[in-house]
Amino acid sequence: GAVVSQHPSRVICKSGTSVKIECRSLDFQATTMFWYRQFPKQSLMLMATSNEGSKATYEQGVEKDKFLINHASLTLSTLTVTSAHPEDSSFYICSAIRYSGGGTQYFGPGTRLLVL
Amino acid sequence: AQSVTQPDIHITVSEGASLELRCNYSYGATPYLFWYVQSPGQGLQLLLKYFSGDTLVQGIKGFEAEFKRSQSSFNLRKPSVHWSDAAEYFCAVGADGTASKLTFGTGTRLQVTL
C-alpha cells in the first residue's frame, strides 16, 4: 500500500532554535498533505493543510509564522517549527491524500519533538 | 462543528474474546466515518470507512463497524481479538469522501491479555 514517511522520527532541540520535519509520499504524488499535532493521550489536532504550489491553509489558533509549511513538490511537504519553545514539544504527524482509487488519507509514523 | 467522542480511554480484553469500541459523532450533514489504528512507530492505518449504503462495513484484520444514524454511533467490533490487535484506535469523521480535514476522537487504547 501507499507509504508516507517522516524524518526525523525523533528530535531534541534547544529552546529558540528552529526544527524542520519532512513528510514524503513514497509511491504516489500528493497535491494535498496535512499536518497534525498529537498531545499525550489526546487526539490528533489538524494544524494545517499543505497544498503543492500554493500557501498552506492553517486551522484556527495555529500560528502560521510559528509553524512554516512548504509543499515544494508533489512528494514532499516540510513543517518548520520556528523559535521552538518547550510548549511546542509534541508528536507531529503528517498525512497525504492519494486520490487515485477513490481517495484515501495515508499517515506518516510521526515525529516526536522535544524542546529543552 | 463536527466532533467525535470515544468514551472509553482504555479497554482490556482477553485474547480470543470479542471486542467493541464505541464511537459517537456529531455532524450536521451525512457523515463520512473512519476507524484508524495506531501502533507504536507506525503511521495511522485505515481499518474501515463508511460513506453510504450498507450500514455494516467490513474492514481489514477482521474488523467491522456499524453505522447507526439514530444513535449517532459508529462502533468498531471484532469477534475474536488477537494479541497483535493491541494498539490505539481512533474514530474520525470527515467532511467528504477523501477523508480530508478529519476530526478525530481522543482514542481508545486496547490492551490484550493472553
Side-chain angles (χ1 to χ4, degrees):
Chain A
V3 177
V4 174
S5 70
Q6 283 184 240
H7 178 78
S9 58
R10 183 187 301 266
V11 57
I12 301 173
C13 69
K14 293 181 179 181
S15 183
T17 60
S18 295
V19 175
K20 180 184 285 188
I21 303 170
E22 293 184 346
C23 176
R24 294 182 184 274
S25 56
L26 297 183
D27 57 356
F28 66 98
Q29 294 182 329
T31 55
T32 303
M33 292 183 171
F34 299 96
W35 286 96
Y36 294 85
R37 185 172 177 175
Q38 185 179 24
F39 292 98
K41 299 183 179 180
Q42 293 191 29
S43 181
L44 284 75
M45 301 297 296
L46 179 64
M47 298 174 64
T49 302
S50 173
N51 302 297
E52 188 269 337
S54 65
K55 292 183 178 180
T57 304
Y58 291 82
E59 295 300 304
Q60 190 173 10
V62 178
E63 301 175 59
K64 60 181 180 181
D65 295 330
K66 173 77 171 175
F67 299 100
L68 300 179
I69 292 173
N70 184 12
H71 196 147
S73 76
L74 287 171
T75 59
L76 173 64
S77 175
T78 60
L79 169 68
T80 301
V81 183
T82 62
S83 187
H85 291 281
E87 57 266 29
D88 298 325
S89 298
S90 191
F91 195 54
Y92 293 88
I93 299 174
C94 74
S95 69
I97 291 185
R98 183 176 190 174
Y99 285 101
S100 62
T104 301
Q105 192 170 160
Y106 293 92
F107 288 80
T111 296
R112 175 77 60 192
L113 171 63
L114 177 61
V115 184
L116 301 176
Chain B
Q2 57 204 48
S3 66
V4 178
T5 302
Q6 292 180 248
D8 303 307
I9 297 173
H10 185 216
I11 283 183
T12 300
V13 300
S14 299
E15 187 174 42
S18 63
L19 171 70
E20 181 169 31
L21 301 182
R22 295 183 291 167
C23 172
N24 293 95
Y25 68 91
S26 174
Y27 191 65
T30 301
Y32 293 83
L33 296 161
F34 308 83
W35 274 100
Y36 285 88
V37 59
Q38 183 182 37
S39 299
Q42 306 287 324
L44 275 79
Q45 182 182 19
L46 179 66
L47 289 175
L48 47 78
K49 57 187 177 184
Y50 171 78
F51 291 168
S52 64
D54 193 347
T55 56
L56 183 64
V57 292
Q58 302 297 321
I60 62 172
K61 303 184 179 184
F63 286 94
E64 66 177 25
E66 185 172 12
F67 170 63
K68 293 185 177 180
R69 184 184 297 276
S70 61
Q71 299 178 19
S72 296
S73 69
F74 189 57
N75 295 348
L76 181 71
R77 300 194 295 250
K78 186 170 185 177
S80 179
V81 170
H82 189 262
W83 64 266
S84 60
D85 294 324
E88 187 92 22
Y89 291 82
F90 290 94
C91 181
V93 61
D96 60 48
T98 61
S100 59
K101 299 203 71 173
L102 294 174
T103 298
F104 284 86
T106 50
T108 297
R109 179 161 295 280
L110 173 65
Q111 183 176 358
V112 180
T113 57
L114 300 176

